[in-house]
């Protein structure tokens, strides 16, 4: 009965009924030292040695690894949660880990003994058991109150040694940690250190083998035994049991000779069997074995976790080291022979990736990156998330082989450039079908592809250009031993959200829509929206954007004023008080109360999510909105609104460069981009350049590096009629628009100047002859002409799957849809995959915007006509794209989209 009570106590030491069994004076069973878990103090992870070591990998104009990025007041979230709770942990904070002390609170020793204990144990033990420096004074927050684990008191004559078994803490293995604070204390108080250690090692082994959770050793008896052991080889079991205080209880657990049912090291079949099936094992020993097995599994996971943490620390250290080297040699590398490894990975969080349909296809929308070989010094390795067929590979071989023909204007001048680019598909693309892994993670788990990459990169200057940054981008770059031209993932996660972009814009001092960010609770949302509505009565529509979502999927909108019943009352008060309504506390508070009372029901009934399939109701959207955090933003109070996107690059040297610009197309509503017209024509280029450079400098100050894009909205002010430009969104990654721009420049041999919004290409044959006639006898003709393009990577049609790409291209060619190499005008397709074949990209190039838009719409109509039957139109966004183009041009299909050979029913189909 006493043994059973002892076991109950060990399993549930905090139970008062169990503790009642300890009131017997002769009972020497000691409880394990278990304390409630408390938050451990945080200390910055040091890469160097010593308490103030800082990483040497500080980049020019960037922050070093050992220090957090500059966080000004606008960076601090305005919500109710902490930075960690809002997933807005600073980059440096993401690199830290709790430094948990291996000791509990000091017992009440006499003063001299307490000072000795403090001298011995005033250090923190790392996850591996080694001693790390004390935390700095500002991070030493109530250290003693948060120490949940074992502490050895300073040993003295007559004291007791508390020996936890391996089931308690694997870091306290005596043999492996002879230099731990407890071992040093024991060495200090026992001159016969070697004998003591020789005695404690088998003692620990005996306790560990029989899964004894905790026991106490008499120091006096152990000293006596060890003094006698100088002349013995090994202590017997009797020697060990004689120094244990609770000897009688331990003897009942330790089996007699011949009974070898051990909790650790025995056969796998014996460990998990119940006592009735295992002769010679008591109930308490079986339970202890189960506990020991579980704890050993947990300890194994803990070791794996520590190994992963150490690997990530090493990846980050090497990332900054190689980034420093890349910055120092960038001017040489960018003009010399080099290899660019493109990994178009979407490293969003797991909860975002799970809701991206056809994730692999979405990661393959940027095949235009291959066109970097336009630079004769560049070779490209493109990591493809899909297995491309031979038909698709031949298409890109032919497309990229047109480079010489484009420059000469002679279709016969094609070349084989397969030695300049490689398309590699990781072998693990189908190994994790339900895990929604990003491409970088799949590549990391593809050893054959990684080995081939290492061979291709041997003795060559190279760097990686990723997509949305992820920790596995660092792991891949580290294994390949090449730098990564991109931001640290922690920086991208902090400033790449909707709320993070608002902090960047505030730091840059650029105009933004009225709004609020870092919304984390329902109460905060209602309070912020009430104030915004009252302060901006000219705004009809308000937008709600989830922090981590992209492409409009996490956006909803509501025309609040149209459904606000108290709005007429507010208008009357406004007319009576004027602008004072926003400042007079009594009138303002009354108006806020009225608005906040109406908002819950109004939002539930009238909010419209953009992605209704994912968010059929406001409550579904609100749950995700409050889980991830989000922003409230005003929609421009104008009937004419233009959205535009600008792509930029922060080079390793810190220079900010504009790469591309385009006005957005909206085939699926005003809040979801489906393509762009390149270059942008809606905003004064000089004004746009100033705004972009300000944002670029703000990004650079926060540690952003590499490619990123900024979204703006332009509209006419309802009162003044002047154009207003707001910065609305920031994506810290390589964009689809930039990839299409690279393809555009490749097939035209052109040049895009974003500072003047001018796309120029060499003259076509007809233009050249025309200019020679016009300028005969006068000054030499111009060598280039203006171009513009319409580009989209988001064209979808379910009927595309019913036809092969070769047949589709032949049909398009027969209907006049193709590219003229001599004139450097026409249409080029971007093909993504040939399994489902329900989407494609298209770039149409011409001399003027109106003509290019018409050609783009005509192409969509022809493709739709060729692949669809009259009674089976399929699921497509082609028709919506045509309607959007009609709205841009201000014309109808009847008078502009007439084809010479079309029948009346076809025109009717187009109007539908």
């Amino acid at each position: 009965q006493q043994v059973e009570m002892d076991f109950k106590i060990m399993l549930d030491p905090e139970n008062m009924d169990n503790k009642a069994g300890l009131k017997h004076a002769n009972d020497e069973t000691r409880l394990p030292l278990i304390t409630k878990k408390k938050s451990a103090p945080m200390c910055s992870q040091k890469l160097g040695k010593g308490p103030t070591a800082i990483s040497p990998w500080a980049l020019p104009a960037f922050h070093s690894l050992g220090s957090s990025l500059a966080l000004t007041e606008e960076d601090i979230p305005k919500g109710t949660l902490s930075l960690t709770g809002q997933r807005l942990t600073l980059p440096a904070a993401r690199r830290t880990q709790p430094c948990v002390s291996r000791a509990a609170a000091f017992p009440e020793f006499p003063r001299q003994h307490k000072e000795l204990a403090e001298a011995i144990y005033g250090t923190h033990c790392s996850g591996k058991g080694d001693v790390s420096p004390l935390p700095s004074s500002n991070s030493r927050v109530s250290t003693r109150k948060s120490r949940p684990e074992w502490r050895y008191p300073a040993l003295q004559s007559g004291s007791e040694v508390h020996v936890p078994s391996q089931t308690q803490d694997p870091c306290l293995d005596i043999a492996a940690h002879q230099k731990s604070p407890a071992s040093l204390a024991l060495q200090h108080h026992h001159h016969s250190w070697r004998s003591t250690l020789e005695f404690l090692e088998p003692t620990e082994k005996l306790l560990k083998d029989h899964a004894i959770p905790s026991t106490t050793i008499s120091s006096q008896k152990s000293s006596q035994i060890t003094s006698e052991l100088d002349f013995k080889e090994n202590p017997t079991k009797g020697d060990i049991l004689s120094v244990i205080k609770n000897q009688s209880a331990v003897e009942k657990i330790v089996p007699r000779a011949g009974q070898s049912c051990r909790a650790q090291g025995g056969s796998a079949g014996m460990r998990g069997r119940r006592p009735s099936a295992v002769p010679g094992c008591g109930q308490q020993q079986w339970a202890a074995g189960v506990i020991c097995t579980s704890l050993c599994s947990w300890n194994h996971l803990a070791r794996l976790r520590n190994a992963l943490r150490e690997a990530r620390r090493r990846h980050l250290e090497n990332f900054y080291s190689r980034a420093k080297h890349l910055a120092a040699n960038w001017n040489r590398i960018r003009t010399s022979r080099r290899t660019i490894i493109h990994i178009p990975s979407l490293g969003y969080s797991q909860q975002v990736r799970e809701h991206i349909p056809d994730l692999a296809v979405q990661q393959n929308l940027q095949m235009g990156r291959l066109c970097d070989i336009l630079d004769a010094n560049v070779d490209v390795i493109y990591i493809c998330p899909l297995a491309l067929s031979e038909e698709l590979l031949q298409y890109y071989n032919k497309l990229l082989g047109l480079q010489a023909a484009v420059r000469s204007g002679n279709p016969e001048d094609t070349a084989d450039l397969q030695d300049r680019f490689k398309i590699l598909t990781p072998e693990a693309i189908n190994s994790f079908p339900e895990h929604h892994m990003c491409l970088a993670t799949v590549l990391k788990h593809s050893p054959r592809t990684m080995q081939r990459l290492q061979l291709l990169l041997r003795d060559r200057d190279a760097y990686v250009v990723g997509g949305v940054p992820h920790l596995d981008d660092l792991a891949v770059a580290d294994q390949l031993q090449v730098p990564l031209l991109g931001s640290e993932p922690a920086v991208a996660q902090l400033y790449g959200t909707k709320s993070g972009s608002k902090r960047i814009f505030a730091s840059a001092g650029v105009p933004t829509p009225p709004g609020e960010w870092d919304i984390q609770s329902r109460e905060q949302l209602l309070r912020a929206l009430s104030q915004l509505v009252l302060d901006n009565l000219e705004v009809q529509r308000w937008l709600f954007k989830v922090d981590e979502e992209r492409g409009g999927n996490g956006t909803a909108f509501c025309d609040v004023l149209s459904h606000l019943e108290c709005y007429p009352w507010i208008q009357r008060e406004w007319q009576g008080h004027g602008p004072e309504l926003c400042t007079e506390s009594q009138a303002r508070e009354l108006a806020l109360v009225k608005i906040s009372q109406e908002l819950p029901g109004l939002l539930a009934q009238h909010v419209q999510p953009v992605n209704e399939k994912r968010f059929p109701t406001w409550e579904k959207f609100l749950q995700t909105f409050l889980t991830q955090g989000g922003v409230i933003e005003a929609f421009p109070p104008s009937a004419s609104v233009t959205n535009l996107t600008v792509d930029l690059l922060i080079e390793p040297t810190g220079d900010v460069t504009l790469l591309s610009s385009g006005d957005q197309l909206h085939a699926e509503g005003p809040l979801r981009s489906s393509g762009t017209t390149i270059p942008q024509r809606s905003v004064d280029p000089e004004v746009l350049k100033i705004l972009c450079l300000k944002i670029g400098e703000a990004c650079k100050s926060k540690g952003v590096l590499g490619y990123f894009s900024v979204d703006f909205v332009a509209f006419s002010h309802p009162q003044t009629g002047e154009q207003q430009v707001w910065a609305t969104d920031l994506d810290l990654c390589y964009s689809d628009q930039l990839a299409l721009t690279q393809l555009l420049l490749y097939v035209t041999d052109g040049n895009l100047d974003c500072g003047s919004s001018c796309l120029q290409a060499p003259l076509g044959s007809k233009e050249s002859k025309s200019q020679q006639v016009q300028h005969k006898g006068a000054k030499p003709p111009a060598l280039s002409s203006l171009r513009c393009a319409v580009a989209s990577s988001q064209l979808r049609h379910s009927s595309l799957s019913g036809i092969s790409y070769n047949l589709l291209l032949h049909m398009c060619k027969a209907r006049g849809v193709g590219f003229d190499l001599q004139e450097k005008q026409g249409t080029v397709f971007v093909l993504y995959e040939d399994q489902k074949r329900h989407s494609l990209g298209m770039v149409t190039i011409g001399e003027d915007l109106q003509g290019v838009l018409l050609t783009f719409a005509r192409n969509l109509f022809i493709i739709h006509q060729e692949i669809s039957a009259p009674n089976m139109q399929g699921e497509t966004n082609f028709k919506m794209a045509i309607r959007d183009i009609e709205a841009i041009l201000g014309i109808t299909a009847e008078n502009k989209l007439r084809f010479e050979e079309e029948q009346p029913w076809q025109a009717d189909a187009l109007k539908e």
Side-chain angles (χ1 to χ4, degrees), residues 371-542:
C371 297
D372 278 351
I373 64 172
L374 180 63
D375 186 338
N377 287 322
V378 172
D379 293 342
V380 169
I381 300 176
Y382 179 86
I383 307 300
C384 184
L386 295 162
L388 302 185
S389 66
E390 189 64 30
E391 177 186 9
L392 221 52
L393 293 175
Q394 288 180 3
Y395 174 78
Y396 282 106
N397 288 338
K398 292 180 180 179
L399 177 63
L400 297 175
L402 295 176
Q403 186 180 45
V406 168
R407 290 175 174 170
S408 67
N410 183 4
E412 302 297 328
D413 293 342
T414 58
D416 186 359
L417 299 180
Q418 293 188 55
D419 60 333
R420 297 277 312 284
F421 71 94
K422 295 287 186 295
I423 299 177
L424 303 183
T425 300
E427 68 268 18
I429 56 171
N430 297 318
S431 300
F432 311 97
E434 303 298 328
H435 290 73
H436 305 280
M437 289 182 175
C438 66
L439 181 57
T441 304
V442 174
L443 177 60
K444 174 186 172 183
H445 291 90
S446 301
R448 289 200 301 271
T449 305
M450 291 295 294
Q451 186 177 12
R452 185 178 180 190
L453 280 170
Q454 290 171 335
L455 292 175
L456 291 172
L457 298 176
R458 183 173 296 174
D459 300 326
R460 307 193 66 173
D461 282 334
Y463 56 88
V464 172
V465 175
V468 177
H470 187 273
L471 287 173
D472 286 333
D473 287 287
L474 305 187
V476 169
D478 190 34
Q479 186 172 344
L480 297 177
Q481 299 183 2
V482 295
L484 174 64
L485 182 57
S487 301
E488 179 190 344
V491 174
Q493 291 169 10
L494 176 61
Y495 296 110
T497 63
K498 305 296 183 184
S499 296
S501 65
K502 301 299 182 185
R503 289 191 288 275
I504 290 286
F505 297 151
S507 176
V510 298
T512 57
E516 192 72 26
W517 57 89
D518 290 324
I519 303 296
Q520 298 285 342
S521 68
R522 189 185 299 261
E523 295 75 15
Q524 186 187 4
L525 184 146
L526 296 176
R527 182 174 63 253
L529 183 58
S530 299
Q531 295 173 350
L532 289 169
V533 169
L534 187 58
D535 294 339
N536 301 275
L537 292 175
E538 73 281 2
V539 175
Q540 172 72 26
R541 175 170 293 180
W542 291 92

Side-chain angles (χ1 to χ4, degrees), residues 540-544 556-561 563 602-603 606-608:
Q540 172 72 26
R541 175 170 293 180
W542 291 92
L543 308 180
F544 307 91
F557 64 94
C558 183
D559 296 333
V560 176
L561 292 185
H563 307 288
L602 186 153
L603 295 175
H606 298 290
V607 166
Q608 300 181 48

Side-chain angles (χ1 to χ4, degrees), residues 65 112 124 143 224 253 341 378 430 577 596 729 819 878:
L65 177 61
Q112 66 273 20
H124 288 284
T143 306
Q224 181 180 357
I253 297 177
I341 307 104
V378 172
N430 297 318
H577 295 81
S596 61
D729 203 0
F819 189 78
F878 283 19

Side-chain angles (χ1 to χ4, degrees), residues 264-275:
Q264 184 176 357
S267 65
M270 298 285 283
R271 294 182 196 176
R273 293 169 59 184
R274 290 193 172 275

Side-chain angles (χ1 to χ4, degrees), residues 314-323 474 484 486-488:
R314 185 178 66 253
H315 297 157
L316 190 61
E317 176 182 351
N318 292 337
F319 163 77
Y320 275 94
S321 174
R322 295 189 177 102
L474 305 187
L484 174 64
S487 301
E488 179 190 344

